[in-house]
Amino acid sequence: MDWWDEVVRRLEPATGDVSLTAAAVWTVLAGSLLVVAVEPLWRVLRIAVTLVHELGHAVVGMAVGRRFTGFVLRGDMSGHAVTVGRARGVGRVVSTWAGYPAPAVVGAAMAWVAGLGWAAAFIGGVLVILVIALIRVRSALTLLVMVVALAATAALWWWRDDVLQAQILVGTGIVLVVGAWRHLAAVAASPDRSSDPGVLSSLTHVPRIIWNLSFAIVCAAATWLVAMEVLSALR
């Protein structure tokens, strides 16, 4: 079972020092912020934030007993995930709420596990989620994005380099957290009743501003965690 031994070896925590040097942290930080700040880059790469948003709906929906039936990513970088279950109730509310905080939560988790040396196991978990989600794609663009994400994640996991994995997780985490803020700013300014806060308001009769505030609180906590990880690496 040599192949199984190889898989296990690629899931084990790092045994050496994976702490990033100050120079590496500055490079990762600059590259991540460049992706988010330069509009042409952001217009293309924000699809990663949308993907995490939609998978947030899906994963949390399944966790509360709903059935994940499919999702799409659109050319305008928006998306839609469908979970089947009761039209109202706690499960519907929780799964609907999960989308906007998901990129910030995942981004913070990436930075945190990278510092602990658990990047390889985390990337392996991401790979499993992407494989499961692949059979739920409902458009050609979604399939293309998923194949690219799977290929990149699989390569990073299989050709394991502990320091490189940590750098990429921290960089991707920063992009996801900042991207979560940008997505939140856009939805907070939108009066669209079909948006997540609009649907939540309809389901619960709680004003949209309260739901947007709850998203902001999670994003703020995630930002604090990532900032602490980055600052600790700079000391």
Side-chain angles (χ1 to χ4, degrees):
M1 298 259 321
D2 289 342
W3 65 270
W4 179 250
D5 293 337
E6 289 296 317
V7 169
V8 171
R9 187 172 67 83
R10 285 166 173 79
L11 291 172
E12 293 173 345
T15 55
D17 182 14
V18 296
S19 58
L20 303 183
T21 64
V25 172
W26 283 116
T27 301
V28 167
L29 185 60
S32 303
L33 295 180
L34 185 68
V35 166
V36 179
V38 177
E39 201 60 33
L41 284 175
W42 173 245
R43 280 198 298 267
V44 174
L45 296 178
R46 63 177 283 196
I47 197 71
V49 182
T50 303
L51 174 61
V52 177
H53 175 118
E54 300 307 334
L55 292 182
H57 286 307
V59 171
V60 173
M62 290 188 292
V64 296
R66 297 179 67 82
R67 185 162 53 90
F68 175 41
T69 60
F71 74 109
V72 296
L73 302 172
R74 305 186 182 96
D76 62 357
M77 303 305 162
S78 65
H80 182 63
V82 178
T83 60
V84 177
R86 291 181 58 192
R88 306 186 74 87
V90 175
R92 174 76 190 283
V93 170
V94 171
S95 61
T96 302
W97 179 86
Y100 277 98
V105 171
V106 172
M110 284 180 166
W112 183 56
V113 300
L116 294 176
W118 282 85
F122 186 92
I123 294 168
V126 170
L127 192 59
V128 170
I129 292 172
L130 291 176
V131 169
I132 293 172
L134 183 64
I135 63 174
R136 295 288 187 259
V137 300
R138 294 294 181 266
S139 75
L141 176 61
T142 312
L143 177 61
L144 175 61
V145 172
M146 288 295 293
V147 168
V148 171
L150 268 167
T153 304
L156 181 64
W157 178 70
W158 187 256
W159 287 288
R160 177 173 176 171
D161 181 314
D162 292 334
V163 174
L164 179 62
Q165 286 183 343
Q167 289 176 333
I168 290 179
L169 281 194
V170 172
T172 305
I174 293 170
V175 170
L176 288 177
V177 170
V178 178
W181 280 112
R182 289 197 60 163
H183 278 205
L184 177 56
V187 78
S190 171
D192 187 2
R193 294 185 178 182
S194 65
S195 66
D196 290 353
V199 172
L200 287 166
S201 179
S202 175
L203 289 171
T204 63
H205 305 294
V206 174
R208 303 167 54 107
I209 191 173
I210 301 300
W211 293 111
N212 286 328
L213 179 61
S214 72
F215 300 152
I217 290 171
V218 175
C219 287
T223 303
W224 176 85
L225 180 56
V226 171
M228 291 301 100
E229 290 294 327
V230 170
L231 289 174
S232 66
L234 291 174
R235 289 171 187 162

